[in-house]
């Protein structure tokens, strides 16, 4: 409870005159303990007041409601409580943003809409009527939501109503919270809620920076006591030109993505990502953003003077000053010794013991009572006297309130402090002593100097079945990073306002279990802190990844914090980089991250007044310090940065010094990462999937997919590959666990998408089906052509079954490809044109099956199935030997070369191997002109290689 609860009463005179009407003499205020509404000086009823029935019910007034005699009418009084509509245009960059208040959300403590282009963000601020229990943090809650209707569509999921916040919405909630929290005054414990919605989005003007600015303006207009108005802008860098609030189109070519928030004279928060941008360029961007924020804040201050509500400064309750003196006298000397303990857990336990000692001593001396006792002492009733009523006689000090009698208790003369106040003061005193030790002694809790880095140790490959793993330890902070590689099915889908489907190729997921700090806690959905830290590490590592063309894998990195004592997100950057290298990802370079701290006002602690910057801060230095500035990159530049502060802002000179000191720290960490033992494998794990990329003609993609995806599914089942992904531009990605299945699927796809050339000859092609007008012959897996009945034999046939049946293998020649891509084949073109009475013509037995079987030669099943006929090496096209004509047979004869037959058409042919080992289709009309003796392929009977030809290109 509060140290001096009596000061909670009486703030009606600070309210805006349009919100409350002057009470009549008969008006009574019976409210809970709330500085906003308990206005009677004599009234000391708290939460119990509403439990007692009053005999004068017509005297009760709730908020702005009073008797009609004093106000004229209730409706008129309510109408006056609403703020008047007001609009103002504020210049930002090369355009204006429109700020409106009093139009929407008039019952909120503060509400505002901001319009940029056709993007509209609405933000409201409300606060609780009753203050919550004092604590060491301001009770601020932020929620941000992007309505799909803002872009004219609905969610792509099953549930069409927006549900829990998505990750990028959580990140924007953090962007809103972080700059506002330092401006909130200590001692204000009314819960404050900021709600922000994107009502309209045009796809060009980003809503995140507008949401931060809208929240800052809404808080400035509300009753929440703050020190300064807050605004935010985004800075982009396009062609060496800094752009304020760039559009999404401009950001596509930007080298920098920086979001900066601050006041008119200080920087409160920055977060950004870039591609190895030097520190000097980053500082220039911060300077441009600070100027833009200053201009917005000046306009906001003018707006607040016209439309703002009075601040609730009288609701601020701080612990009494004498309590600080008492705590320092009790544990001052012991606190100095405890802060010299190097390890976190023993130091934390020692500080807890000191805190209990302070509470015990102050309780024994009568200065501290339990919250329950203090709360009962605060609820002392007081009579509300009415001049119009007759005075009532009070017997024996009792108060007559109907049938309930309450005996008033006298206050103790000794001042009482609440237990919460003692804990808050003890924490502040501990922070004060820690800062003094750093400034005066030049040593931190673990004995380091301000710019010294903790001991670093790293290992990789400790998880044998993981694709890549690393354990990075820096002091008492440790990250276990695991990298996993996969195909497109492992990509993370993002459902955003504009694009229906957006897939993330790389994502890092950060987890912070309670065991990493030696505590017991609940495990559930990732917290906002975990999502924010994971995104920071992800964006830091993203610039070093290879392109998708060079490395077609989807990459997932998991960072589990196994120990934590400061800078666990930067440990995730270092561990994630080592895990990527261990998984065989060809990263461009190594990346390291470091967290910087700050001690302002060093003169108070024995310094010369110059701010002291700390490298590689621990958890206690983060809690007791004034800044947490995380910077990731290499020796050449920065890839990601994030700054949070606990004071009312820092200057550009402090940021410059922090960036330069962080660069020296990163260099040291990168040198230590090179000492990783064992070093990263830098090759693909044998458990990682194989991915092969093929390029086919875009119009051939449908041949691979088939009707309803039947063909691609059959290929997957037949070959045993994991997945086959196709793209409209002709890219085909095959994912397999072993090389054999990869090569099988690759061969089938090549045959499906090959481009047949008129004149090609195909051997041992199976007849798949027979129709009255001919037979359908498979010249390659999945590719069939029609051999008309007139092209089956040199003589007339009544039906195709007279010479062949389904399953027979014949030799055919491609004679035509029509506009639809359909193939017309001919067997007759390969038969000698002989007379029926030729003595060499074999007479049919009358059974076509027997004739086929007699002439059929079964090829080796392990060899490639189909061969395009081509001349032997050194064949002279001008000299064509003539041989005796042979009997036409169905099948393939290994001793017979059809090109030697004088009756065949005299055309140029090349030998082509239509097999899984062949990569490209070669034109027979172009290649033979280069060299008649050049061998493009080998005959299937001479090439006894297996189906797998070499290694797959990964």
């Amino acid at each position: 409870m509060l140290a001096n609860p009596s000061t909670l009463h009486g703030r009606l005179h600070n309210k805006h005159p349009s919100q409350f009407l002057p009470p009549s003499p008969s008006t009574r205020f019976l409210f809970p303990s709330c500085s906003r509404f308990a206005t009677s000086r004599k009234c000391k009823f708290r939460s119990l007041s509403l439990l007692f029935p009053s005999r004068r019910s017509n005297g009760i007034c709730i908020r702005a409601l009073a008797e009609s005699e004093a106000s004229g009418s209730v409706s008129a009084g309510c109408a006056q409580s609403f703020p008047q509509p007001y609009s103002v245009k504020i210049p930002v960059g090369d355009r204006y943003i429109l700020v409106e208040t009093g139009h929407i959300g008039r019952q909120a403590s503060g509400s505002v809409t901001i319009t940029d282009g056709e993007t509209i963000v609405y933000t409201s601020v409300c606060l609780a009527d009753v203050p919550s229990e004092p604590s060491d943090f301001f009770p601020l809650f932020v929620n941000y939501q992007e309505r799909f209707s803002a872009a004219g569509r609905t969610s792509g999921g099953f549930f069409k109503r927006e549900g829990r916040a998505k990750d990028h919405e959580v990140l924007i909630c953090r962007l809103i919270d972080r700059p506002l929290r330092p401006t909130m005054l200590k001692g204000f414990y009314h819960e404050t809620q900021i709600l922000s919605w994107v009502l309209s989005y045009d796809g060009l003007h980003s809503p995140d920076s507008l949401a931060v600015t809208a929240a800052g303006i809404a808080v400035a207009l509300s009753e929440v006591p703050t020190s300064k108005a807050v605004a935010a802008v985004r800075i982009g860098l396009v062609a060496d030109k800094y752009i304020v609030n760039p559009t999404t189109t401009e950001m596509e070519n930007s080298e920098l993505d920086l979001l900066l928030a601050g006041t008119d004279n200080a920087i409160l928060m920055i977060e950004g990502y870039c591609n190895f941008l030097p520190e000097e360029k980053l500082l220039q961007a911060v300077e441009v953003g600070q100027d833009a924020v200053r201009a917005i804040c000046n306009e906001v201050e003018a707006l607040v003077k016209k439309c703002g509500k009075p601040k609730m400064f009288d609701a601020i309750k701080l612990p009494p000053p004498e309590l600080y003196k008492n705590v320092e006298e009790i544990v001052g000397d012991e606190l100095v010794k405890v802060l010299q303990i190097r390890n976190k857990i023993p130091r934390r336990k020692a500080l807890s013991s000191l805190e209990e000692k302070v509470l015990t001593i102050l309780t024994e001396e009568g200065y501290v009572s339990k919250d329950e006792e203090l709360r009962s002492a605060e609820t002392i009733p007081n009579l509300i006297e009415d001049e119009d009523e007759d005075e009532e006689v009070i017997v024996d000090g009792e108060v007559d309130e109907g049938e309930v009698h309450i005996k008033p208790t006298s206050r103790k003369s000794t001042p009482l402090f609440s237990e919460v106040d003692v804990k808050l003061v003890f924490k502040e005193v501990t922070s004060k002593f820690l800062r003094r030790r750093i400034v005066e002694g030049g040593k931190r809790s673990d004995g380091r100097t301000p710019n010294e880095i903790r001991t670093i140790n790293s290992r990789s490959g400790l998880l044998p079945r993981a694709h890549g793993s690393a354990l990075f330890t820096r002091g008492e902070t440790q990250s276990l990073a695991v990298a996993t590689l996969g195909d497109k099915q492992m990509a993370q889908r993002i459902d955003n306002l504009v694009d229906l489907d957006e897939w993330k190729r790389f994502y890092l997921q950060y987890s912070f279990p309670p065991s990493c700090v030696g505590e017991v806690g609940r495990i559930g959905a990732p917290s906002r802190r975990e999502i924010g830290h994971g995104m920071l590490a992800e964006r830091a590592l993203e610039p070093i990844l290879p392109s998708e063309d060079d490395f077609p894998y989807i990459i997932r990195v998991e960072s589990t914090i196994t120990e934590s004592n400061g800078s666990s997100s930067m440990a995730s950057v270092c561990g994630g980089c080592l895990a990527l290298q261990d998984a065989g990802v060809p990263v461009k370079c190594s990346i390291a991250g470091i967290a910087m701290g700050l001690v302002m006002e060093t003169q108070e602690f024995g310094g010369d007044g110059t701010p002291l910057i700390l490298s590689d801060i621990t958890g206690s230095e983060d809690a007791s310090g004034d800044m947490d500035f995380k910077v990731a990159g290499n020796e050449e530049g920065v890839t990601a940065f994030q700054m949070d502060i606990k004071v009312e802002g820092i200057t550009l000179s402090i940021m410059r010094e922090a960036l330069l000191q962080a660069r020296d720290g990163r260099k040291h960490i990168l040198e230590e990462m090179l000492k990783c033992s064992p070093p990263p494998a830098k090759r693909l794990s044998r458990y990682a999937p194989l991915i092969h990329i093929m390029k086919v003609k875009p119009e051939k993609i449908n041949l691979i997919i088939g009707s309803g995806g039947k063909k691609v599914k059959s290929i997957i089942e037949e070959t045993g590959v994991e997945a086959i992904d196709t793209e409209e531009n002709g890219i085909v990605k095959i994912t397999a666990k072993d090389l054999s299945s990869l090569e099988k699927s690759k061969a089938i796809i090549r045959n499906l998408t090959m481009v047949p050339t008129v004149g090609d000859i195909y051997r041992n092609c199976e007849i798949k089906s027979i129709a009255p007008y001919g037979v359908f012959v498979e010249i390659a897996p999945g590719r069939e052509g029609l051999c008309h009945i007139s092209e089956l034999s040199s003589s007339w046939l009544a039906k195709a079954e007279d010479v062949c049946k389904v399953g027979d293998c014949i030799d055919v020649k491609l004679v035509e490809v029509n506009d639809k891509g359909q193939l017309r084949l001919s067997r007759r073109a390969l038969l000698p044109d002989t007379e029926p009475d030729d003595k060499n013509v074999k007479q049919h037995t009358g059974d076509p099956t027997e004739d086929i079987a007699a002439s059929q030669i079964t090829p080796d099943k392990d060899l490639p199935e189909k061969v395009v006929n081509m001349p032997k090496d050194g064949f002279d096209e001008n000299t064509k030997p003539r041989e005796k004509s042979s009997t036409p047979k169905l099948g393939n004869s290994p001793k017979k070369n059809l090109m030697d037959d004088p009756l065949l058409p005299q055309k140029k042919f090349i030998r082509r191997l239509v097999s899984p080992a062949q990569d490209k289709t070669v034109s027979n009309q172009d290649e033979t002109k280069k060299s008649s003796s050049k061998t493009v392929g080998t005959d299937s009977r001479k090439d006894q290689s297996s189906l797998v030809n070499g290694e797959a290109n990964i």
Side-chain angles (χ1 to χ4, degrees), residues 226-247:
T226 56
S227 57
K228 291 280 189 176
V230 176
V233 294
R234 168 175 269 106
I235 304 297
L237 179 59
V238 180
D240 290 333
K241 180 182 179 183
Y242 295 100
I243 303 176
V244 179
N245 278 3
T247 63

Side-chain angles (χ1 to χ4, degrees), residues 13 169 300 455 556 575 587 602 628 661 667 702 712 730 732 837 868 903 942:
H13 60 279
E169 292 175 327
V300 173
T455 304
R556 178 196 182 196
V587 296
T602 56
D628 181 12
Q661 190 168 324
K667 291 180 180 179
N702 291 334
V712 69
V732 181
D837 56 348
V868 179
L903 299 179
K942 295 180 181 180

Side-chain angles (χ1 to χ4, degrees), residues 649-698:
I650 64 172
T651 61
L652 197 62
S653 60
I654 297 177
M655 185 177 296
R656 175 180 285 104
E657 185 178 352
L659 281 173
L660 296 179
Q661 190 168 324
R663 182 174 61 186
D664 297 335
R666 291 199 312 271
K667 291 180 180 179
H668 173 77
I669 297 172
L670 288 171
E671 293 175 359
E672 295 297 321
M673 289 171 61
L674 294 175
K675 302 176 184 178
C676 179
S677 178
K682 295 185 178 181
R683 65 176 182 272
L684 283 179
S685 168
R686 59 194 180 106
Y687 300 109
L690 301 176
I691 296 182
H692 179 77
I693 299 179
M694 300 178 63
K695 176 69 176 178
V696 301
K697 289 189 174 182

Side-chain angles (χ1 to χ4, degrees), residues 459-515:
R459 298 171 51 197
S460 64
L462 65 160
L463 304 179
R465 294 300 295 240
H467 299 164
S469 59
L471 183 68
F472 179 83
T473 307
R474 179 167 54 198
E476 293 181 303
T477 299
Q478 188 178 75
S479 169
L480 176 61
V482 180
T484 306
L485 308 178
D487 58 355
K488 188 177 180 180
Q489 297 178 356
M490 202 179 79
Q492 185 180 31
R493 180 185 174 185
I494 300 176
D495 200 6
N496 54 25
L497 278 178
V498 179
D499 299 326
L500 295 179
D501 290 322
E502 181 180 348
W503 302 89
K504 288 183 67 173
R505 173 176 169 252
F506 168 67
Y507 51 97
L508 188 147
Q509 296 171 334
Y510 167 102
S511 60
F512 191 90
S515 61

Side-chain angles (χ1 to χ4, degrees), residues 101 365 397 526 673 804 854:
T101 184
E365 295 179 356
M673 289 171 61
C804 61

